[in-house]
Amino acid sequence: MPERRVVIVGGGLVGSLAACYFAKRGWTVDLYEKRPDIRLPEHSDLVEHRSINLAISERGFSALRRLDPELEARVKEHVIPMHGRMIHTLDGKQTSQAYDVFNKHINSVGRSTLIKLLLDEASSYLCVTLHFNYEFVKADFDTGRVELRDVERGEQVSVDADLVVGADGAFSRVRQRLMSKVLMNYSQTYIEHGYCEFSMAPLDGSFAMDPNHLHIWPRGSFMLIALPNLDKSFTCTLFMPWSEFAKVESDAEITAFFRKHFPDALALIGERRVCAEYAANPKGSLMYVKCAPYTYKSRAVILGDAAHAMVPFYGQGMNCGFEDIEALDRIMVRTLHESGQANDCTANLTDDQLHQALDEYSVTRAVDTSAIVDLALENYVEMRAKVVDYAYLARKHLEGLLHRLFPQRIIPLYTMVSFTSIPYAKVVRQWNRQTAWLHQTIRAISVAAVIGIGAISVRALGPRLPPLRELARMVTSKI
């Protein structure tokens, strides 16, 4: 067959991994990134202070493993395991909340470190060409003509592709172009909260706090979190409503704010650093995107944030983007096998077969990504408020106990999301069933307890209490 060429727009985490997958499957790959090559020393700081730290878990590792187990192993050399949340109260007390009763953990990883590893991996394929300092201008998906601009020279270039992959982030230009070709349902929503990053330097040559936890200072309507880095520092991120950011402008105000709400963090970061970084670091916005479909015929597909940007509170943005690539690859390979070919070279798919595979991907994946976008938003409330709520902690304890006893039947929500590859939409359905079952079980236990206490009371005190049936009715109406 003639050469099959894919143009990937966006050389971040998702785009660079997608380049590796397509190269492995026999495609000729051209990847275009509008920023310079961050592997060069003069550009190594381009991704710092622009985004929240990353946490990689099973879905991300699964995609790396499918591509190459050795790549997964190399990435794991650069992560720091986080076994749970460390909750910091106002009085300085710290309480550990394990993520999983079987000691499964998520992992902190530097964004720039991971991008460099993936770009190096992509460069190792002879059929991959990386183009930096090129921004996407437009594309004619029907003819495969893609136009890009060299941001250094100001020149416009045209290339031809059999498939265009948009991995160019939440404000994707490829998605905008796709919207002109398909009847796309699209929504973009900003939440009323923003974020600002701070750095906590090592203390006496070591981590200033326990490095094997994600640290949280929950304060109801806002919170501070901290993730460990390999250089023994922590990246701290303050999330709070824009209305609160507006109240904190001067050095004195930010110092007073930290002293009131995060006194132990202030002592570890230092007043001078808090003031300097609050003034210098950008205040980022938080938004989420939902859209469908993700594809156009056999000609275009969007992946990662371009298709489903989400708020960062479940640590699933990158993991979901990596899983996009794995899900698409599985469908393409299966479609190839169903056509009678025994190899995995998806470059051999005909246009009709590729069209079929892309349509299936769009239909099935959009349901799952919509579910995780919603879960990520809901988890913000859990992190900033519920982690110190007694009802939440009681349920977490009960679910953990039941999960240990019945590991295949009762699975906590966080475990399903972070430590399995159960489709996100199925996770939500199972979680809703478990919630209903738990409520019914607790109600039944409560009724049985009331009836038992009532029977003992009647024997001891005589018929001075309401009938047992009425007592049961009263209790169940309150549950």
Side-chain angles (χ1 to χ4, degrees):
M1 290 187 66
E3 176 186 77
R4 296 276 272 179
R5 183 177 298 274
V6 58
V7 165
I8 299 174
V9 180
L13 293 163
V14 172
S16 54
L17 182 61
C20 298
Y21 262 84
F22 278 101
K24 182 177 180 179
R25 301 307 184 201
W27 293 73
T28 297
V29 182
D30 284 288
L31 183 147
Y32 291 88
E33 167 57 43
K34 67 179 180 181
R35 294 171 298 179
D37 187 347
I38 67 166
R39 295 173 297 174
L40 301 177
E42 61 267 31
H43 303 309
S44 61
D45 63 345
L46 285 177
V47 296
E48 305 302 329
H49 299 300
R50 60 164 291 273
S51 53
I52 297 137
N53 255 35
L54 298 174
I56 186 169
S57 51
E58 172 54 26
R59 294 175 197 268
F61 283 132
S62 177
L64 298 175
R65 190 182 314 129
R66 178 173 172 83
L67 177 70
D68 181 0
E70 292 185 4
L71 174 62
E72 179 193 19
R74 288 199 299 275
V75 170
K76 285 185 174 181
E77 293 174 359
H78 297 272
V79 306
I80 299 175
M82 296 185 294
H83 294 274
R85 298 164 174 163
M86 186 68 78
I87 308 303
H88 295 246
T89 57
L90 266 175
D91 60 5
K93 182 181 178 182
Q94 298 182 31
T95 304
S96 175
Q97 295 181 3
Y99 283 130
D100 181 76
V101 296
F102 297 111
N103 204 35
K104 294 177 181 177
H105 55 81
I106 62 175
N107 305 272
S108 177
V109 62
R111 181 178 295 268
S112 60
T113 297
L114 188 51
I115 293 176
K116 290 173 184 177
L117 284 170
L118 292 176
L119 288 174
D120 284 342
E121 182 72 13
S123 298
S124 70
Y125 290 92
L126 297 178
C127 56
V128 174
T129 305
L130 305 180
H131 309 265
F132 296 97
N133 299 300
Y134 281 88
E135 65 177 0
F136 176 83
V137 176
K138 63 180 180 179
D140 183 334
F141 295 131
D142 290 303
T143 64
R145 177 58 56 91
V146 181
E147 295 186 19
L148 305 111
R149 188 175 71 89
D150 184 327
V151 297
E152 290 187 322
R153 300 182 180 87
E155 300 173 353
Q156 195 154 306
V157 299
S158 296
V159 296
D160 293 318
D162 297 289
L163 176 64
V164 179
V165 175
D168 50 339
F171 302 99
S172 170
R173 290 188 176 184
V174 177
R175 183 185 66 228
Q176 292 174 10
R177 192 65 181 171
L178 187 62
M179 292 171 72
S180 69
K181 300 296 292 184
V182 300
L183 298 176
M184 180 182 286
N185 293 314
Y186 170 80
S187 66
Q188 173 184 299
T189 306
Y190 284 91
I191 69 171
E192 297 178 356
H193 294 240
Y195 70 91
C196 183
E197 288 192 347
F198 302 86
S199 58
M200 182 183 293
L203 182 63
D204 297 329
S206 188
F207 286 101
M209 303 182 296
D210 183 342
N212 297 122
H213 283 81
L214 188 157
H215 293 258
I216 307 178
W217 290 257
R219 299 298 182 260
S221 63
F222 57 91
M223 68 177 181
L224 181 72
I225 69 170
L227 279 78
N229 300 308
L230 288 175
D231 64 359
K232 298 185 179 180
S233 68
F234 280 85
T235 298
C236 308
T237 310
L238 172 64
F239 298 96
M240 68 178 180
W242 287 113
S243 57
E244 294 298 321
F245 274 113
K247 298 176 184 177
V248 182
E249 296 182 348
S250 67
D251 287 356
E253 288 169 337
I254 187 61
T255 301
F257 178 83
F258 263 75
R259 187 176 292 121
K260 178 179 179 180
H261 299 291
F262 315 117
D264 57 335
L266 179 63
L268 294 172
I269 299 173
E271 291 188 12
R272 292 182 63 182
R273 185 185 294 269
V274 165
C275 293
E277 295 190 349
Y278 187 77
N281 292 346
K283 313 300 183 290
S285 58
L286 298 165
M287 52 88 85
Y288 58 94
V289 167
K290 288 185 177 184
C291 69
Y294 295 157
T295 61
Y296 175 67
K297 296 183 178 178
S298 63
R299 292 299 203 169
V301 59
I302 52 176
L303 302 171
D305 284 354
H308 47 71
M310 66 191 73
V311 292
F313 304 113
Y314 230 121
Q316 285 295 301
M318 173 191 64
N319 290 287
C320 182
F322 283 7
E323 191 178 59
D324 286 352
I325 302 165
E326 181 180 3
L328 177 60
D329 181 68
R330 287 185 182 278
I331 292 171
M332 291 173 66
V333 170
R334 174 168 50 77
T335 301
L336 184 68
H337 291 171
E338 289 172 351
S339 73
Q341 298 196 46
N343 62 72
D344 294 341
C345 183
T346 60
N348 292 335
L349 287 167
T350 66
D351 284 348
D352 287 344
Q353 291 165 351
L354 184 56
H355 187 176
Q356 174 190 333
L358 293 184
D359 278 354
E360 180 182 343
Y361 169 77
S362 182
V363 170
T364 57
R365 192 62 181 159
V367 176
D368 287 321
T369 56
S370 178
I372 188 57
V373 168
D374 292 339
L375 286 173
L377 189 61
E378 293 166 8
N379 207 50
Y380 185 26
V381 179
E382 177 175 317
M383 292 178 71
R384 60 183 166 85
K386 288 186 178 181
V387 289
V388 291
D389 179 77
Y390 288 114
Y392 164 83
L393 294 173
R395 172 167 180 161
K396 180 178 173 65
H397 178 75
L398 176 59
E399 279 189 330
L401 175 63
L402 293 173
H403 181 47
R404 187 179 291 277
L405 295 173
F406 311 104
Q408 302 303 317
R409 297 185 62 85
I410 304 297
I411 310 176
L413 179 61
Y414 194 93
T415 296
M416 286 191 283
V417 170
S418 298
F419 305 130
T420 77
S421 293
I422 299 172
Y424 292 118
K426 185 177 179 180
V427 165
V428 172
R429 292 194 298 271
Q430 181 165 338
W431 168 249
N432 288 337
R433 287 196 300 269
Q434 286 180 192
T435 298
W437 179 84
L438 280 172
H439 285 172
Q440 292 170 2
T441 302
I442 293 170
R443 180 175 300 182
I445 293 172
S446 301
V447 170
V450 168
I451 291 175
I453 294 171
I456 294 171
S457 300
V458 167
R459 286 191 175 186
L461 302 175
R464 287 179 286 175
L465 293 173
L468 296 183
R469 186 175 299 173
E470 178 63 18
L471 276 173
R473 186 196 66 78
M474 293 166 60
V475 170
T476 56
S477 68
K478 299 295 185 182
I479 298 176

